[in-house]
Amino acid sequence: SCELLSLCFEGSFNVCPFGFSAEEEAVLESILRDRSHIEETLRLAADEKAGDYAGEDMNKRHCSPTLSLSLSLSLSLSQTDGEITSRPTVLFLGPWSVGKSSMVNYLLGLQDTPYQLYTGAEPTTSEFTVIMHGEKIRTVEGIVMAADSSRSFSPLEKFGQNFLEKLVGIEMPHKLLERVTFVDTPGIIENRKQQERGYPFNDVCQWFIDRADLIFVVFDPTKLDVGLELEMLFRQLKGRESQIRIILNKADSLATQDLMRVYGALFWSLAPLINVTEPPRVYVSSFWPYDYAPDTSHDLFKREEISLLEDLNQVIENRLENKIAFIRQHGIRVRIHALLVDRYVQTFKEKMSFFSDPELVFKEIVDDPDKFYIFKSILAKTNVSKFDLPNRDAYRDFFGINPVSSFKQLSAQCSYMGGCLLEKIERAITHELPSLLGSINSGKNPTLSSCEATGCGEKPKNRYRRN
């Protein structure tokens, strides 16, 4: 039986070229870990749905004005309606064969089932696999996921058909998937050029990184070296440090003294890549369904695993607060962009005369906006932080694509019945979204119109700040 297990430990049992006798199955069951702490920590036994009870109403009342103003300003929304109301996303990144797929199998209890993700000692996962909740177990092709507007993956079509062939979705009825969606990614192989993948791998990773609520970067003791592709990945993670969790997997494969050396080597390798004062949280354990190796730190690994599960549960519990904070953040960006474009248009009209050349006039404005107090006027007249202002050079490119003559001033976009889009966004940013967040935090059903009950001065939770 030991020889049998050694052949299958590196891969999934359903790919072993032989069956198991009753005695061998009994041996397998005896070495499986107890999963009760997973269900208890993630509250899988509780009969609660993860539906966004405020999601649709929030989307209609707060996202619609933002969307309308974004379209009128030729500003693309970074997330679709489906993405805004979707479940929290946990993204798995890291080198090949470090245990990413095995970890997903472990968390969902898929080992020894026909639905487990294929694992192995060799590079196995070549697709981006999205594991999500569904009424029945089925596989969804990438072209179907991108074509379905009700899903949150339609923007992925921009990466081409070659990528969609490498995208697969798995739907299954599972308590944990009612509350979260997992994304398993192809392992990083340093000797493979990006163009050999047939699609822009880094761009696709960036798309998922931008939408992930929690990012697990997984390593194992044998793959601590940092190559060009992994270095590029950490550059893409810049600004997302609060959402990154480093996992040193397969920790029970080393003696305690060797594990301490590997832990130090991991930090040594990652130090140049994570340029923040506070390092990300590192979890050290072995995330697969079988018992820890003998003569290793079982208690430490168990505590580390429970800490990671608590971290995951915290992200799930804060899903609404994070969505509201994101919508407010995006509303602030749209508002600043609208004010800047309006100021450019106003300055252009003021400087234009009957004999002026429009192109030369506007070129002077775009090349030196400080001469015309474009950005300073925004800071002086509105409650805008100078740290939120975009790069001045970005507007040279923006107006190169979108002629200034195609924009109307904000005052011309108001109507008697519909009001002004900018005023709606201002009201959502300063009153309605903080009120909604306050009512959620107080444990009440959110009411979008009452500032008296919850106070409009409530500040939304900063999703990028570590607790």
Side-chain angles (χ1 to χ4, degrees):
S1 296
C2 293
E3 293 178 358
L4 179 69
L5 294 174
S6 65
L7 290 173
C8 298
F9 266 11
E10 292 297 334
S12 54
F13 287 111
N14 64 344
V15 298
C16 290
F18 39 76
F20 295 104
S21 65
E23 293 81 5
E24 290 166 343
E25 289 182 358
V27 172
L28 293 179
E29 291 179 1
S30 68
I31 63 172
L32 290 177
R33 285 189 219 163
D34 179 26
R35 289 180 47 85
S36 59
H37 64 286
I38 297 180
E39 297 183 0
E40 180 180 350
T41 306
L42 297 178
R43 303 178 186 177
L44 300 184
D47 187 18
E48 64 175 71
K49 290 285 185 180
D52 268 353
Y53 56 85
E56 293 184 4
D57 204 3
M58 178 173 64
N59 196 34
K60 290 178 183 177
R61 298 194 55 165
H62 305 307
C63 298
S64 295
T66 305
L67 173 61
S68 301
L69 188 56
S70 297
L71 293 176
S72 68
L73 294 171
S74 301
L75 178 64
S76 299
L77 274 173
S78 62
Q79 292 196 343
T80 63
D81 291 354
E83 294 170 72
I84 290 173
T85 57
S86 64
R87 295 177 177 87
T89 299
V90 177
L91 180 64
F92 291 82
L93 299 169
W96 58 276
S97 194
V98 293
K100 300 186 297 296
S101 301
S102 296
M103 188 172 177
V104 174
N105 287 335
Y106 176 52
L107 292 174
L108 296 176
L110 299 180
Q111 67 278 353
D112 303 332
T113 70
Y115 320 113
Q116 66 176 349
L117 301 183
Y118 178 73
T119 61
E122 76 284 2
T124 53
T125 304
S126 61
E127 299 93 6
F128 282 79
T129 307
V130 182
I131 304 98
M132 49 195 167
H133 182 264
E135 296 302 321
K136 60 181 181 179
I137 298 175
R138 69 183 187 121
T139 300
V140 185
E141 297 295 333
I143 55 175
V144 177
M145 295 171 63
D148 189 351
S149 59
S150 64
R151 300 179 187 270
S152 58
F153 305 102
S154 54
L156 288 171
E157 279 191 306
K158 66 183 179 181
F159 297 117
Q161 297 301 309
N162 285 340
F163 165 70
L164 294 181
E165 293 178 0
K166 294 294 184 179
L167 174 68
V168 62
I170 300 176
E171 290 185 346
M172 63 179 68
H174 195 285
K175 274 288 185 181
L176 180 54
L177 295 179
E178 289 179 3
R179 310 177 69 202
V180 70
T181 296
F182 291 130
V183 179
D184 188 20
T185 62
I188 294 172
I189 303 177
E190 296 296 350
N191 60 357
R192 175 181 295 171
K193 295 181 180 179
Q194 186 174 159
Q195 55 265 30
E196 292 179 3
R197 294 183 184 268
Y199 61 89
F201 176 75
N202 287 334
D203 293 341
V204 174
C205 285
Q206 188 67 63
W207 190 91
F208 282 104
I209 288 170
D210 291 341
R211 286 149 183 83
D213 296 85
L214 193 60
I215 301 170
F216 290 146
V217 184
V218 187
F219 294 89
D220 79 0
T222 65
K223 298 182 180 66
L224 301 180
D225 55 320
V226 176
L228 292 177
E229 196 165 72
L230 190 59
E231 185 176 347
M232 177 64 72
L233 178 65
F234 272 92
R235 288 179 187 172
Q236 294 178 278
L237 291 170
K238 198 171 184 65
R240 294 277 183 172
E241 286 82 6
S242 65
Q243 294 163 279
I244 299 173
R245 305 294 184 269
I246 306 296
I247 296 176
L248 181 56
N249 200 12
K250 306 180 184 180
D252 63 341
S253 63
L254 297 175
T256 303
Q257 187 176 11
D258 293 332
L259 181 61
M260 293 175 62
R261 291 176 178 145
V262 167
Y263 187 84
L266 177 63
F267 267 98
W268 178 266
S269 300
L270 298 183
L273 306 180
I274 305 177
N275 202 8
V276 292
T277 56
E278 185 179 0
R281 180 72 166 86
V282 178
Y283 295 99
V284 181
S285 188
S286 182
F287 295 93
W288 74 332
Y290 307 104
D291 206 359
Y292 301 115
D295 300 324
T296 56
S297 305
H298 294 197
D299 292 339
L300 170 64
F301 298 155
K302 183 68 173 291
R303 290 195 300 269
E304 287 283 279
E305 184 177 321
I306 292 176
S307 295
L308 180 140
L309 295 173
E310 290 173 346
D311 206 348
L312 173 59
N313 188 66
Q314 187 69 26
V315 169
I316 296 172
E317 295 292 331
N318 291 342
R319 63 191 182 278
L320 272 181
E321 291 93 326
N322 291 340
K323 294 292 184 184
I324 294 170
F326 168 79
I327 292 171
R328 185 175 184 274
Q329 182 187 56
H330 187 69
I332 291 172
R333 290 174 178 170
V334 172
R335 169 176 169 262
I336 292 174
H337 180 68
L339 291 170
L340 284 171
V341 171
D342 185 63
R343 181 61 183 168
Y344 272 105
V345 173
Q346 180 183 348
T347 304
F348 173 69
K349 291 185 175 181
E350 290 175 354
K351 298 300 178 183
M352 276 296 296
S353 65
F354 185 78
F355 297 103
S356 299
D357 185 337
E359 292 186 4
L360 293 178
V361 170
F362 193 68
K363 185 178 184 303
E364 183 183 5
I365 297 173
V366 171
D367 287 345
D368 191 7
D370 290 338
K371 177 181 177 180
F372 301 94
Y373 302 99
I374 300 290
F375 286 79
K376 291 182 179 178
S377 63
I378 301 300
L379 291 173
K381 294 183 179 180
T382 58
N383 184 23
V384 176
S385 170
K386 65 179 181 180
F387 301 106
D388 290 333
L389 291 177
N391 192 328
R392 288 159 171 76
D393 295 334
Y395 281 89
R396 184 183 294 108
D397 298 332
F398 176 79
F399 286 113
I401 300 172
N402 307 284
V404 67
S405 58
S406 63
F407 295 102
K408 298 179 181 178
Q409 288 191 251
L410 290 175
S411 57
Q413 300 189 35
C414 301
S415 64
Y416 179 76
M417 297 295 293
C420 300
L421 292 175
L422 188 62
E423 290 180 359
K424 292 180 180 179
I425 294 179
E426 292 269 10
R427 187 163 59 250
I429 291 172
T430 57
H431 297 298
E432 293 178 346
L433 288 173
S435 174
L436 180 62
L437 186 66
S439 61
I440 291 173
N441 288 334
S442 63
K444 302 176 182 177
N445 288 330
T447 54
L448 301 179
S449 59
S450 174
C451 284
E452 294 81 7
T454 58
C456 291
E458 291 282 336
K459 294 183 178 180
K461 180 175 179 179
N462 184 354
R463 68 178 296 191
Y464 301 110
R465 181 178 179 180
R466 293 189 64 183
N467 294 326

